[in-house]
Amino acid sequence: MTVPVRTLDDGAWISVNNARAVSNSAVWPVAGVEFCDCEVAHLLPESFYDVSVDRDTVAVGTIVQCIDCGGHGTIDALPVGRVVNGEFREFDTGAIRSPAAGDQ
Ligand SMILES: [Zn+2]
């Protein structure tokens, strides 16, 4: 089963299954980013430039800013949620995320 995913509104949103699923208005705690030294960086996604599905995991490519140190960078594949029985379920926004393994 293929789940259609795409970016919307010049990268302000991620669409999953033709429904708006993820916006660039949340702050995500992310561990292991390369562009700043924060152990857990709190990242504000400024825009999404890519979205993909690997098995059931939806990952985004995004330009982010760390609100802890002000660092800027990009993450090519940051898992943001899963597709379960055809429905997108975003990860808990308080849970620490990390870039997809093997992507760096
Ligand atoms: Zn930082």
Side-chain angles (χ1 to χ4, degrees), residues 70-99:
H72 253 105
T74 61
I75 299 176
D76 282 338
L78 179 67
V80 295
R82 300 176 65 196
V83 177
V84 180
N85 296 326
E87 283 185 32
F88 177 70
R89 297 192 187 164
E90 188 174 5
F91 295 151
D92 184 338
T93 50
I96 295 173
R97 307 177 180 198
S98 49

Side-chain angles (χ1 to χ4, degrees), residues 36 38 66 69:
C36 78
C38 300
C66 176
C69 72

Side-chain angles (χ1 to χ4, degrees), residues 32-48:
V33 298
E34 290 194 322
F35 55 83
C36 78
D37 292 330
C38 300
E39 196 167 321
V40 176
H42 291 83
L43 302 181
L44 181 66
E46 295 185 340
S47 71
F48 302 113

Side-chain angles (χ1 to χ4, degrees), residues 40-61:
V40 176
H42 291 83
L43 302 181
L44 181 66
E46 295 185 340
S47 71
F48 302 113
Y49 58 81
D50 191 28
V51 57
S52 59
V53 182
D54 181 14
R55 304 173 81 122
D56 60 356
T57 301
V58 177
V60 298

